[in-house]
Amino acid sequence: MTTRVSIEGDKFLINGEPTYAGREFEGVPIEGQLFNTRMVQAIFDDANPETAKRWLYPDTGVWDPERNVREFLDALPLYRSHGITAITVNLQGGMPVYKTERNQPWENSAFTPEGELKPGYMERLRRVIDACDELGIVVIVGYFYIAQTRLLANEAAVLRATDNATEWLLATGRENILVEIANEIDIPLFHHDVLTPARVPELIERVQQMSLDGRRLLVSASVTWLPFAEAANIELNLDPASFEIRAAMAEAKVDDVFRASDYILFHTNMLDARNTQAVIDLVKSHPAVTSRLRPLCINEDGTAVTNLDAAARSGIGWGYYDQGHKNDYVEGFQSPPVNWGFSTEEKRAFFGRVKEITGA
């Protein structure tokens, strides 16, 4: 099976047909949406020998990136059987330890300091993309992740990394790929100016201008809900440690990112269902979004199925983000070593609910 993702109006299509064709949730059509899971650590590794000690499997006492990706691939058919049509992976991973936005001493990056690609990472990514292609799953491939961008030497390396990753993805010949330039570009912790909201559109357009055999990749960049907090009347209750960061995020201007993107990616984690709904409504009505019809997708929230329901009631795809806090091979999907199965009540509740909503 070859999986080809495309966009028609505000819908995602797989092989020319809207996802979940004809399906409704509480009277609201959900066809053309992507219900998805944040699996950014599927190709994880750590080049720092000091921090690599944090990710040891409890049964073997060693960290093994090959085992990690193999067990992820084994779990993919289970996700698909429950209605999942997309996953997010990232070439610089995610936050494997909770609340470490500023301090990330581990080295999880598919890029060398000069922006060249590391073969081990790309081979793991190839296997993920190929397996998802066979199952009818779209892979949202993120390029850059906040503090890990310190590993890139300069802006030229960021541009080279962007070009190399895009060329590599095009050369696979697979068409089940969406690109997310960077995760939450309104977080003011990226280490290069080109990865700020004002300049990310340059990278989006750079990817859009690259093609192979008439094919190009559909590309976006994700933002948090903080730029919409005031309009949504969300009380921030900022703690002193995060005040500077959160305040800057609330002031971020994401209009040009929305205008440049082929599809709209945003996050609603840490919100309740009411505030999730408020942010969805604000994004939907944002002038930079209404100026051109495109699909919307949340590809990071949390584990609360009430938020999943809120998104489904709005006809928006929703992304499960399960941090896990113990690195214990039980909890979460983001803290290695990861148990990629349905190992907790939170996981079982989410996948079960997606199965109900999508009719998988």
Side-chain angles (χ1 to χ4, degrees):
M1 177 181 182
T2 299
T3 301
R4 177 173 55 87
V5 64
S6 59
I7 287 173
E8 185 175 288
D10 61 353
K11 293 180 173 60
F12 289 103
L13 279 60
I14 292 180
N15 297 335
E17 296 292 330
T19 60
Y20 316 114
R23 186 73 182 177
E24 294 185 349
F25 174 69
E26 297 184 1
V28 177
I30 62 165
E31 73 171 18
Q33 305 308 316
L34 295 177
F35 289 91
N36 62 93
T37 58
R38 179 175 172 82
M39 306 303 207
V40 292
Q41 311 292 29
I43 60 172
F44 178 86
D45 201 3
D46 185 359
N48 181 345
E50 292 304 311
T51 53
K53 300 171 185 176
R54 304 185 69 137
W55 329 121
L56 308 182
Y57 284 96
D59 58 342
T60 64
V62 298
W63 162 248
D64 184 356
E66 168 59 28
R67 173 177 173 177
N68 180 58
V69 70
R70 184 178 67 249
E71 292 182 354
F72 174 74
L73 296 175
D74 288 345
L76 274 172
L78 190 59
Y79 309 153
R80 185 67 187 95
S81 71
H82 283 71
I84 294 300
T85 47
I87 61 163
T88 298
V89 299
N90 197 303
L91 295 175
Q92 294 192 317
M95 186 167 55
V97 179
Y98 191 49
K99 292 189 176 181
T100 54
E101 290 93 341
R102 288 183 184 273
N103 182 27
Q104 296 185 5
W106 43 87
E107 298 181 11
N108 176 29
S109 180
F111 306 114
T112 69
E114 296 73 33
E116 302 301 325
L117 302 177
K118 295 180 180 178
Y121 274 89
M122 304 317 291
E123 179 56 29
R124 291 192 294 275
L125 179 61
R126 183 187 303 277
R127 290 160 64 188
V128 169
I129 292 172
D130 288 354
C132 286
D133 181 69
E134 292 298 318
L135 291 166
I137 297 175
V138 174
V139 183
I140 303 171
V141 179
Y143 287 4
F144 305 111
Y145 186 77
I146 47 172
Q148 291 298 297
T149 56
R150 67 182 171 80
L151 300 172
L152 290 158
N154 47 38
E155 183 170 307
V158 175
L159 300 181
R160 194 175 300 113
T162 300
D163 291 349
N164 286 336
T166 303
E167 289 176 357
W168 186 94
L169 290 171
L170 287 168
T172 66
R174 300 296 190 183
E175 299 183 66
N176 61 324
I177 300 166
L178 299 172
V179 171
E180 176 183 5
I181 285 289
N183 177 81
E184 299 184 343
I185 51 88
D186 47 316
I187 296 179
L189 293 174
F190 288 90
H191 286 252
H192 304 282
D193 185 67
V194 74
L195 288 165
T196 59
R199 295 192 59 199
V200 161
E202 298 174 30
L203 297 180
I204 291 174
E205 291 163 10
R206 196 176 184 95
V207 174
Q208 290 168 334
Q209 291 166 5
M210 298 176 68
S211 63
L212 180 66
D213 299 329
R215 296 183 294 107
R216 78 165 179 88
L217 298 168
L218 298 168
V219 56
S220 184
S222 62
V223 304
T224 73
W225 54 267
L226 267 297
F228 308 98
E230 183 177 357
N233 295 314
I234 298 172
E235 177 59 51
L236 295 183
N237 293 321
L238 298 177
D239 63 90
S242 68
F243 181 86
E244 179 185 355
I245 297 174
R246 302 298 182 185
M249 292 164 69
E251 295 295 320
K253 304 300 182 186
V254 298
D255 305 41
D256 290 342
V257 176
F258 282 165
R259 290 191 184 95
S261 296
D262 291 310
Y263 61 102
I264 306 299
L265 276 181
F266 62 106
H267 296 171
T268 49
N269 43 318
M270 299 186 294
L271 300 179
D272 60 17
R274 182 185 66 82
N275 286 328
T276 296
Q277 184 65 64
V279 170
I280 290 172
D281 292 343
L282 285 166
V283 173
K284 278 187 169 184
S285 62
H286 194 289
V289 174
T290 59
S291 63
R292 178 161 53 96
L293 196 61
R294 286 157 295 172
L296 277 62
C297 183
I298 296 168
N299 75 327
E300 179 180 328
D301 187 302
T303 62
V305 294
T306 51
N307 287 12
L308 164 62
D309 288 354
R313 290 189 190 102
S314 297
I316 297 294
W318 188 85
Y320 181 78
Y321 162 41
D322 191 349
Q323 176 71 48
H325 300 299
K326 297 180 180 178
N327 300 82
D328 61 356
Y329 195 55
V330 176
E331 289 190 1
F333 285 138
Q334 188 150 309
S335 297
V338 178
N339 185 317
W340 295 107
F342 295 174
S343 53
T344 63
E345 286 299 322
E346 290 84 358
K347 294 177 184 180
R348 289 188 286 272
F350 163 71
F351 285 101
R353 189 59 170 153
V354 172
K355 190 171 187 177
E356 292 176 13
I357 290 172
T358 63

